[in-house]
Amino acid sequence: MSKYFSGKLSSIEPYVPGEQPRDKKYIKLNTNESPFPPSPEVVKALDEAQVSSLNLYSDPTAKELVDAIAEYYSVCPENVFVGNGSDEVLAFVFYAWGENGFTGPELSYGFYPVFSQFFCVDYTQIDLKEDLSIELSDYYNVKNSIIFANPNAQTGLYITPEKIEELVSKVNGVVVVDEAYIDFGGESVVPLTKKYPNLVVTGTLSKSRNLAGARIGFAIGNKELINDLNTLKFSFNPYNLNRLSIIAGAKAMEDKEYFRKCVTTVAETREFTKKALSDIGFTCTDSLSNFILAKTEKLSGKELYLALKERGILVRYLGNEIIKEYVRITIGSKEQMICLIDTIKSILSEAEK
Ligand SMILES: *Cc1c(COP(=O)(O)O)cnc(C)c1O
């Protein structure tokens, strides 16, 4: 830290992304990306003409993308905000509605506490239940803004729209539901944003639409709330989405058939993996996302992570106290998961010797 660095930021602890190593080729199951390429429609649309128009600024309203997201979710374009990854959307969320603080689960997306430090927003964390699930009735008396991911980050555990509606109807503050993983088996609460002016849903094209590298995220909610986010964006980075990402995102939203094929395959492979791991003595959370949290009594989370890495498979060891026995495994292709399971079997049999 230089002597010029702002004092109020001196204790900030930056987010630590999953490894993106370049030393060798790994089977990469550590950052919840899709194992499948973007839709062929995306690839087709990003032609030479598009690349050669990069001399011009992008559309600051990202109309094509906003319209495609609005169409997919059956809302009006004025109810949609887009950002450079949902990380940027979430940053604006904390800055816009954090004056009286935010409340969230003790274990969720690792960026929430970082943004709260970045923007000097108080962040109160509420314990998970013993089974790692979120108990929304614990939030009924919260007076400030609320944020949680559904399915939750790290655990993959899902909360039904009925329970979320009950919370949203009981509190006065903004409730932000981060639906980064909703497409792998959950039901979105976007329809409830028409009924509740304090509900905002965020989403990303990084996971279920195979576009992590394009950096596209969005928020859906009441017009006034979306205006708040646009006010911040136009005060900070008006051209926050580049030309290629606007087109890629719009095409990915439009190609529903390819999207459904990918998310269905991931969900089936997830169930296959859960079953195969439990057959060899693992305990997995009942995840509805594109990853599972798994543990075995034979090895610690850290030992398993290191043994897999040595053998060319990257999973995520989060090291967080409440899930320190676990590793988080992204659902890859079926072939990758079979290779993972075979490798785990050989690690376990070596450990027994
Ligand atoms: C991956 C993830 C994000 C960030 O998504 P990007 O659009 O890639 O920035 C946000 N929230 C949760 C819960 C995530 O898992």
Side-chain angles (χ1 to χ4, degrees), residues 62-83:
K63 182 172 176 353
E64 213 174 323
L65 174 60
V66 165
D67 288 353
I69 293 171
E71 160 84 23
Y72 177 84
Y73 281 103
S74 305
V75 297
C76 299
E78 66 191 26
N79 300 114
V80 178
F81 173 80
V82 292

Side-chain angles (χ1 to χ4, degrees), residues 207-236:
K207 278 113 191 193
S208 60
R209 285 191 171 77
N210 323 348
L211 283 174
R215 312 304 305 126
I216 307 164
F218 58 88
I220 298 177
N222 167 279
K223 196 172 116 187
E224 276 81 49
L225 293 173
I226 296 304
N227 272 342
D228 293 345
L229 298 177
N230 272 313
T231 300
L232 296 187
K233 164 190 145 146
F234 282 95
S235 311
F236 178 72

Side-chain angles (χ1 to χ4, degrees), residues 85-87 90 109 112 149 153 178 180-181 204 206-207 215-217:
S86 75
D87 286 342
L90 292 165
Y109 187 39
Y112 304 155
D178 178 347
Y181 300 109
T204 173
S206 295
K207 278 113 191 193
R215 312 304 305 126
I216 307 164

Side-chain angles (χ1 to χ4, degrees), residues 33-320:
E33 292 139 326
S34 169
F36 307 116
S39 150
E41 295 300 315
V42 170
V43 180
K44 214 163 55 184
L46 296 178
D47 57 9
E48 238 181 276
Q50 288 305 332
V51 175
S52 53
S53 63
L54 284 175
N55 59 318
L56 303 174
Y57 279 112
S58 57
D59 168 14
T61 68
K63 182 172 176 353
E64 213 174 323
L65 174 60
V66 165
D67 288 353
I69 293 171
E71 160 84 23
Y72 177 84
Y73 281 103
S74 305
V75 297
C76 299
E78 66 191 26
N79 300 114
V80 178
F81 173 80
V82 292
N84 194 293
S86 75
D87 286 342
E88 187 190 55
V89 177
L90 292 165
F92 289 151
V93 158
F94 272 84
Y95 202 34
W97 305 311
E99 191 169 25
N100 298 314
F102 260 90
T103 299
E106 64 173 329
L107 180 70
S108 192
Y109 187 39
F111 237 128
Y112 304 155
V114 179
F115 286 137
S116 65
Q117 284 185 297
F118 195 107
F119 296 116
C120 303
V121 166
D122 279 335
Y123 189 59
T124 309
Q125 286 173 293
I126 294 185
D127 289 352
L128 298 180
K129 289 204 292 194
E130 195 81 39
D131 64 2
L132 300 179
S133 66
I134 297 173
E135 177 55 61
L136 282 189
S137 62
D138 293 345
Y139 295 70
Y140 288 173
N141 294 320
V142 170
K143 299 278 178 268
N144 52 21
S145 304
I146 293 173
I147 187 163
F148 58 92
N150 189 43
N152 198 14
Q154 326 312 350
T155 68
L157 297 176
Y158 169 69
I159 305 172
T160 60
E162 291 71 33
K163 288 192 175 153
I164 294 175
E165 178 162 15
E166 198 163 350
L167 170 72
V168 175
S169 67
K170 282 193 163 73
V171 297
N172 293 318
V174 175
V175 178
V176 181
V177 182
D178 178 347
E179 291 192 346
Y181 300 109
I182 200 69
D183 298 323
F184 301 103
E187 188 187 336
S188 173
V189 291
V190 164
L192 294 178
T193 59
K194 295 182 185 175
K195 191 169 163 193
Y196 297 98
N198 61 334
L199 175 64
V200 178
V201 176
T202 65
T204 173
L205 277 69
S206 295
K207 278 113 191 193
S208 60
R209 285 191 171 77
N210 323 348
L211 283 174
R215 312 304 305 126
I216 307 164
F218 58 88
I220 298 177
N222 167 279
K223 196 172 116 187
E224 276 81 49
L225 293 173
I226 296 304
N227 272 342
D228 293 345
L229 298 177
N230 272 313
T231 300
L232 296 187
K233 164 190 145 146
F234 282 95
S235 311
F236 178 72
N237 189 14
Y239 309 103
N240 62 340
L241 275 128
N242 69 70
R243 278 179 169 267
L244 302 182
S245 294
I246 291 173
I247 292 167
K251 295 294 171 192
M253 293 307 298
E254 284 158 17
D255 191 351
K256 293 185 195 170
E257 198 183 321
Y258 182 78
F259 159 72
R260 283 203 195 101
K261 204 171 86 187
C262 291
V263 292
T264 310
T265 307
V266 168
E268 283 166 6
T269 310
R270 176 189 66 217
E271 297 311 311
F272 161 81
T273 309
K274 270 187 206 164
K275 166 93 180 35
L277 286 175
S278 73
D279 285 349
I280 53 171
F282 273 77
T283 308
C284 303
T285 54
D286 190 18
S287 168
L288 270 197
S289 58
N290 69 338
F291 61 85
I292 50 178
L293 200 58
K295 68 173 177 185
T296 166
E297 270 158 21
K298 296 180 187 136
L299 286 175
S300 74
K302 185 150 191 197
E303 285 166 338
L304 181 59
Y305 155 75
L306 289 171
L308 283 168
K309 185 170 179 187
E310 213 178 282
R311 290 161 182 79
I313 301 179
L314 267 191
V315 298
R316 190 89 186 258
Y317 172 66
L318 290 144
N320 182 300

